Amino acid sequence: MLIGIIAQESGFSRDTIRYYEKIGLLRLPKRARRENNYKEYSPAILSRLRAIKELKKIGYTLAEIQQVIASYETGGMDCIAGKGQVLEKVRLIEEQIVQLQTLRLQLLEAVADCPDHCKIAAILDDTLMVR
Amino acid sequence: MLIGIIAQESGFSRDTIRYYEKIGLLRLPKRARRENNYKEYSPAILSRLRAIKELKKIGYTLAEIQQVIASYETGGMDCIAGKGQVLEKVRLIEEQIVQLQTLRLQLLEAVADCPDHCKIAAILDDTLMVR
DNA sequence: TTAAACGGTGGAGTATAGTCCACTGTCAAG
DNA sequence: CTTGACAGTGGACTATACTCCACCGTTTAA
């Protein structure tokens, strides 16, 4: 199929598919062309795009996706090691959540006394001392 | 003071300070030069860098910082409007937290049955159907 | 036939916040 | 004096994931 079709079927834009080819996430044989030089995308490429879509949904980066699919395709996919990596991702996410929650509290605190007392103005008073 | 000194005092790198000048977050009068053409940074610039540092700590982007400082300096700082903006930031943060928590659960779910059942492999089985 | 959509390529741009590189001039310390 | 650090400028690079632009050829539908 042509790129417009596979774009439609996969839910990725043509530009995104070309980008994935450029970074090696998708591989098209050089001979996969029509007579007019248009690229012929096989159903296998569509499958791969669907895999990419699913993995992106659970937070995998493109680099990680490339790695996971490569392992899978060479039959060397190690669920134990994969679990370790996933748990590491979970840990990073938990860290992020804590940071966001801290930030949230700080912001709420900043406006708690508004308009009687404005913490942002206080910061600026303390640092700029211009008023 | 010279850039090395203000970098030291402010905790920002020289490159960062130059970057802030470039994007207009810091403004140096053209005449603020020594005889050898080295830039002379006034204490006011240091104050401003300190303000930037504090605002970054509570999650403000550089664009937001530029805006807030500008308002403050023109005496037009509106605590009420500022509160609205802050609460909007809080809302976005809360959204992010929810997304991260969802993602966390999904990832934990993905490895829950590992190594008996590997969800990642299942995704790849479903999509790639190559094994 | 014509115009618009589609396809191709190469490359730059976007967002955000820096960071690094190349080159030149100045300053300070050994 | 010499060398290394410091300062300046312009511009490219980094990270991540696209998206847009310019230009050219092909296809499609009115």
Side-chain angles (χ1 to χ4, degrees), chain B residues 68-119:
Chain B
V68 167
I69 293 184
S71 299
Y72 180 83
E73 284 177 338
T74 56
M77 187 145 168
D78 183 358
C79 199
I80 303 279
K83 178 170 183 175
Q85 285 172 349
V86 169
L87 291 180
E88 177 61 17
K89 285 180 76 71
V90 170
R91 197 186 63 76
L92 291 175
I93 286 170
E94 285 167 349
E95 238 177 54
Q96 244 181 318
I97 289 173
V98 168
Q99 283 171 3
L100 286 172
Q101 283 169 338
T102 299
L103 182 52
R104 176 179 169 274
L105 286 180
Q106 285 177 330
L107 285 175
L108 286 178
E109 203 179 274
V111 296
D113 300 328
C114 185
D116 297 322
H117 178 249
C118 182
K119 182 169 179 183

Side-chain angles (χ1 to χ4, degrees), chain A residues 44 46-52 54-55 57-60 68-69 71-77 79-80 82-83 86-87 89-90 93-94 96-97 100-101 103-104 106-108 110-112 114-131, chain B residues 44 46-52 54-60 68-69 71-73 75-77 79-80 82-83 86-87 89-90 93-94 96-97 100-101 103-104 106-108 110-112 114-131:
Chain A
L46 178 57
S47 297
R48 196 174 176 104
L49 283 169
R50 284 185 173 142
I52 291 166
E54 290 300 311
L55 292 175
K57 275 185 191 166
I58 58 174
Y60 275 68
V68 168
I69 294 185
S71 298
Y72 181 82
E73 285 176 337
T74 58
M77 188 151 166
C79 199
I80 303 275
K83 178 169 182 174
V86 171
L87 291 181
K89 285 180 77 71
V90 169
I93 287 169
E94 283 166 351
Q96 244 181 321
I97 290 173
L100 286 173
Q101 282 168 338
L103 183 52
R104 177 180 169 273
Q106 283 176 330
L107 285 175
L108 286 178
V111 295
C114 184
D116 298 321
H117 178 250
C118 181
K119 184 170 176 184
I120 307 293
I123 285 173
L124 298 177
D125 283 339
D126 285 349
T127 49
L128 297 182
M129 292 188 275
V130 175
R131 300 294 300 262
Chain B
L46 178 57
S47 297
R48 199 173 172 108
L49 283 169
R50 285 186 170 141
I52 291 167
E54 289 301 310
L55 291 176
K56 274 167 62 73
K57 277 186 190 166
I58 58 173
Y60 276 67
V68 167
I69 293 184
S71 299
Y72 180 83
E73 284 177 338
M77 187 145 168
C79 199
I80 303 279
K83 178 170 183 175
V86 169
L87 291 180
K89 285 180 76 71
V90 170
I93 286 170
E94 285 167 349
Q96 244 181 318
I97 289 173
L100 286 172
Q101 283 169 338
L103 182 52
R104 176 179 169 274
Q106 285 177 330
L107 285 175
L108 286 178
V111 296
C114 185
D116 297 322
H117 178 249
C118 182
K119 182 169 179 183
I120 308 291
I123 285 173
L124 297 177
D125 284 339
D126 285 350
T127 49
L128 296 184
M129 292 188 275
V130 175
R131 299 295 299 262

